[in-house]
Structure formats: C-alpha cells, structure tokens
Amino acid sequence: MLSRRLFITAALIAGLGPVTSVCAQQTVTVALDWTPNTNHVGLYVAQAKGFYTEAGLDVQILPYTDTAAGTLIANRVADFGILGSIGLFTQRTAGADLVATYAIMQTETGRLVFNADRADIHSPKDLDGLTYGGFGSAWENALIGTIIRHDGGDGKFETVTLGTSAYEALANGAVDFTLEVYTWEGIKAELEGKAQRAFRYADFGVPDQHTNFIGSSRAYLEKNKNTASAFIAATRRGYAFAVEHPQEAAEMLIAANSDVLTNRPLIEASLKALVDGHYLQSPAGAIGTIDPAKMEAIGDYLFKAGILRDGDGNPVGERPDFAAYYSNAYLADEK
C-alpha cells in the first residue's frame, strides 16, 4: 500500500510539469505535513517575494497527500519536507534517512486543553479517571501520563481515539480533554467564543521542544550541499519577513492557497499568535536555529518512555546519538 501511495505521489509531482528558466534554476521539491496553514508561511512568502528565484531555485511545494512527509523524503520522492518533532525522532530511530535542517517553531505549540467551565479540573491530577479524546499515538499516552503524575496524580485516564473530531467532541462535552496546537485549534476556539483552559507541557515535566522542522535526507544533503544551503537561507528570509510583516505575509499565504484558506480572520490571528508568542522567532532572536539542548532533552524523554523503536518495532536498547538527527550547518548567519 505504501509503495502504491508513493507511486501516486510521484505521479502527482510529475504532473506539475517541467519549469523552464533562462537561468537554469535548480528545482527543489517540498512536501507538506498537512494542508497549507500558517506553519508554512515562510515557504509561501519566499516564493511570493522572489527569495527562491534570487537564490537560483525553482521551489515546488508539492500537493499534500496522506503519506507522511518524512516517508516522502526518505524514499527520495521529495527533497525537503515539514517534519513533526515526534515523527522525526521515531522515523529516524526506525531507520528512515531524515535530518532536521530548520526549526520552524522555537518552542512547543501544543497544550492539553479542556473547557473553561469545568469546575472540577484545577490541576493535571484532576484528569485521573477522565476521558481523553486522542489521536492514537504512544507519544500522547506518555505525555499525558507524565503531566498528571508530575502533579501528584496516578496518570490513569480513559482514551477514545477520534482524530481531528476530538475538538468537536470536546466542545460538546463528549470527552473531558484533548491535545491541541494553540496557534491553530486554540486560536480557532477563541475566535468561535469557545472558552478553554489549558496546561502547558513544559510546566509539568515534559521537555520543551521544537514542534516541527523543515528536514531532508542525509543522502540529498551530501549530494546537494549548496542547493540545500540556498534553499534554507531563502526560506529563513521568508519566515523572517513574516515575523516583521505578519499582515502582508498572511496576504501572501492566502493568495497562494485561496482554495483552502478561506477563513481570513483565523489565518491573521494565527500568524499574530505565532509572532507575538515568539514561536517563529525566539525572544533572543533565533529564527530557524535548532537548539541542541532541546533535541537532547526530548530525545532522552522519548527514549526513556520506550517510544523510540527500531525497524522491527522493538524498543531500542541503547540511547541513540541524537546529534545525528539534525544539523544547523545549512543556516546562513546563524543566531
């Protein structure tokens, strides 16, 4: 099934057709992790502002498919892609050729959330015995268990796997709590007047992390170092522009995806939250830089929780060398 999906994806990419350029630009393909959203704003700004063209690149953002971007990268279907932090660590540990080259988020965007009118929930230990609307990953169970136990609870709760319908289930009271990305689902709830309260992971024993990255494969990076550096540098310019000019960046993102990005207030509010909350750029000014301490901390957490498994699905017995999972070498003028 996977090889068939990869074939279909490759056919979609081929269907984009050749791009002619008098400058013989180098083509770079990028796979998204979801339909276009504010996390991807730097890519679309770099296209609209001509940063890629100036760098001698023809960057093609591939049509989103249900095959993970990490799988497309590791199988040489895409040159770069958007990688979730947990996906990077689990896929790389299992043998996938993946390397993070740019941290989109400088700090965790996720949070554990519940309806604001829940008078019975004061701190995480009150979640013991309640029902979680989840997404079906081992990471969620470890994360929530840690948060509850850190507050003195047992870490025992019921789980109903719902996927994205968990947010509707939370709103109508069918589940007691869920996990959400504050800068998207959280902002959407605020705009819709759905009052929520939340617990930040890092406040309750879970290491802070870069929520997602732009990554590639070691094989591609070794053969295309100059192209990779040019792509990351131009992309970084795109994200930096978005930080300085969020309203204009939102316009560019919407213009490039007018068929799917129809909720303008959500896009604008989400991008504002990303900027104001220092997600795209740290308070110290870092944009794109991967923090080694954060990588070691979350990697160690995942290893000790038994989430990292080898290619046969068995928990790895030795702590991996997490320094090999990422590289800042392709960032220009690193801060």
Side-chain angles (χ1 to χ4, degrees):
M1 178 62 72
L2 178 57
S3 61
R4 180 173 180 272
R5 280 192 285 182
L6 287 173
F7 175 81
I8 293 171
T9 301
L12 282 171
I13 294 169
L16 292 173
V19 177
T20 58
S21 171
V22 295
C23 298
Q25 294 174 322
Q26 182 69 39
T27 298
V28 175
T29 54
V30 184
L32 301 182
D33 58 335
W34 199 250
T35 53
N37 58 67
T38 48
N39 286 359
H40 311 138
V41 65
L43 298 169
Y44 290 101
V45 169
Q47 276 194 331
K49 295 291 291 182
F51 298 157
Y52 291 136
T53 301
E54 291 175 17
L57 304 175
D58 168 29
V59 174
Q60 300 178 1
I61 301 174
L62 307 179
Y64 170 71
T65 75
D66 61 356
T67 300
T71 301
L72 299 178
I73 294 168
N75 286 277
R76 314 294 186 263
V77 176
D79 301 324
F80 286 88
I82 310 298
L83 304 173
S85 175
I86 306 306
L88 166 69
F89 279 93
T90 55
Q91 286 189 282
R92 171 67 190 243
T93 303
D97 183 7
L98 295 174
V99 181
T101 52
Y102 183 99
I104 296 176
M105 299 301 162
Q106 290 297 310
T107 190
E108 174 68 67
T109 57
R111 62 181 192 172
L112 187 154
V113 66
F114 50 96
N115 293 331
D117 60 1
R118 291 296 298 265
D120 58 326
I121 302 177
H122 302 282
S123 67
K125 64 177 180 290
D126 297 324
L127 301 175
D128 267 333
L130 299 185
T131 300
Y132 163 61
F135 306 86
S137 73
W139 153 250
E140 300 162 52
N141 293 329
L143 167 73
I144 297 168
T146 296
I147 291 173
I148 296 175
R149 288 191 296 273
H150 189 274
D151 190 48
D154 294 328
K156 297 178 180 179
F157 54 94
E158 300 296 324
T159 298
V160 179
T161 301
L162 299 173
T164 55
S165 59
Y167 305 119
E168 180 180 352
L170 178 67
N172 62 32
V175 298
D176 298 302
F177 65 98
T178 189
L179 304 178
E180 71 175 18
V181 176
Y182 166 66
T183 54
W184 190 258
E185 286 89 10
I187 294 298
K188 186 173 186 291
E190 289 178 6
L191 292 175
E192 294 175 349
K194 298 174 181 176
Q196 297 178 331
R197 288 186 287 138
F199 301 131
R200 292 180 64 252
Y201 307 160
D203 291 339
F204 297 97
V206 180
D208 189 24
Q209 63 176 322
H210 299 291
T211 314
N212 48 29
F213 305 90
I214 296 172
S216 186
S217 64
R218 182 70 63 187
Y220 179 86
L221 295 172
E222 289 179 351
K223 292 179 62 176
N224 302 275
K225 182 176 181 180
N226 291 339
T227 299
S229 295
F231 169 72
I232 292 299
T235 300
R236 192 183 200 183
R237 288 182 66 191
Y239 278 102
F241 182 92
V243 170
E244 295 297 325
H245 309 279
Q247 185 64 42
E248 190 174 348
E251 293 289 345
M252 295 175 189
L253 177 63
I254 294 170
N257 302 281
S258 57
D259 55 333
V260 293
L261 297 182
T262 58
N263 189 338
R264 180 178 293 272
L266 172 59
I267 301 303
E268 293 175 347
S270 173
L271 191 51
K272 185 178 187 301
L274 285 169
V275 174
D276 292 350
H278 297 290
Y279 294 101
L280 298 179
Q281 180 179 34
S282 75
I287 299 179
T289 305
I290 301 171
D291 183 345
K294 288 185 178 180
M295 298 299 281
E296 293 294 329
I298 193 64
D300 192 59
Y301 176 86
L302 295 172
F303 170 65
K304 291 178 178 177
I307 293 173
L308 301 183
R309 296 174 178 266
D310 61 23
D312 296 321
N314 302 311
V316 292
E318 295 185 7
R319 187 182 187 278
D321 176 14
F322 297 122
Y325 286 39
Y326 67 96
S327 174
N328 282 316
Y330 304 91
L331 286 165
D333 302 321
E334 183 181 338
K335 294 184 178 180

